[in-house]
Amino acid sequence: MKFSRFVLLLIVLLTLGAITYFTYPLKIQYILPTTDNIQNIQVIHITGGQFLEYEFKNKQEFMNHQNELVNILDAASFRRRVTHFQGATGDAIMIIFMYKDKDGNNRNYMVDYRESGTFMVENKDYQQYGKSKLTFDNLVAWLQKEGSLLKD
């Protein structure tokens, strides 16, 4: 009898833990990997079948604007997704961070942010709570103001 109560309690605790894990709101600082050795950042804005590429060519240029980027994304909360992203329609922003690791090797990681609020970093999926279109539009406006548009 005590064993079945223990198993039932364990199942309830695991279920509550899983629900909390997937619904607890996360801020952007807990999602994005951080590094002090960013060498370059490239952003691709996919809109209306066009690929617009922006680049921050040097670390200082990006560091001057990094707080603005984080503030835009920090206005939103995200949650972990149970399922993996299967694709969507609408605009997208892909950000590629190139940096040097502690051993001096070149590394990069990619962020994929969709107008629908889907946010992917390093093969981990998140969904934005709330007004994802507003956050996405603010990010696009910031990008157009601060980034250097690369010409074809």
Side-chain angles (χ1 to χ4, degrees):
M1 187 69 147
K2 288 186 180 191
F3 181 73
S4 63
R5 284 184 185 173
F6 174 74
V7 170
L8 181 61
L9 179 63
L10 185 61
I11 290 171
V12 168
L13 289 176
L14 288 174
T15 303
L16 289 174
I19 290 170
T20 302
Y21 180 79
F22 286 107
T23 60
Y24 187 79
L26 301 168
K27 287 298 191 179
I28 197 67
Q29 294 91 342
Y30 299 106
I31 296 173
L32 288 179
T34 58
T35 180
D36 294 332
N37 297 319
I38 293 175
Q39 302 298 309
N40 193 1
I41 178 173
Q42 185 175 1
V43 182
I44 302 168
H45 177 206
I46 305 167
T47 180
Q50 294 181 314
F51 290 76
L52 304 172
E53 293 185 57
Y54 297 87
E55 186 172 31
F56 294 88
K57 292 194 183 252
N58 64 52
K59 180 180 176 179
Q60 189 59 41
E61 180 183 357
F62 174 68
M63 296 309 261
N64 289 340
H65 304 294
Q66 182 179 13
N67 288 339
E68 296 171 34
L69 172 66
V70 171
N71 287 339
I72 291 168
L73 293 174
D74 198 37
S77 292
F78 299 86
R79 65 174 172 81
R80 293 174 183 93
R81 287 173 46 119
V82 178
T83 59
H84 286 289
F85 180 69
Q86 300 293 322
T89 59
D91 293 0
I93 294 177
M94 300 173 79
I95 306 171
I96 303 166
F97 293 91
M98 288 151 263
Y99 67 97
K100 290 203 180 281
D101 66 12
K102 64 182 179 182
D103 297 325
N105 299 319
N106 290 325
R107 301 275 186 221
N108 66 48
Y109 68 89
M110 189 174 84
V111 173
D112 186 344
Y113 182 45
R114 302 293 171 136
E115 189 175 37
S116 63
T118 303
F119 197 87
M120 291 163 287
V121 179
E122 298 288 296
N123 297 321
K124 294 179 184 172
D125 294 357
Y126 303 90
Q127 181 65 44
Q128 181 179 340
Y129 285 116
K131 300 177 181 178
S132 59
K133 176 86 169 99
L134 178 62
T135 304
F136 189 88
D137 290 345
N138 288 341
L139 187 58
V140 169
W142 172 83
L143 184 60
Q144 291 170 344
K145 180 180 127 197
E146 303 298 344
S148 301
L149 181 61
L150 299 175
K151 307 283 188 221
D152 290 330

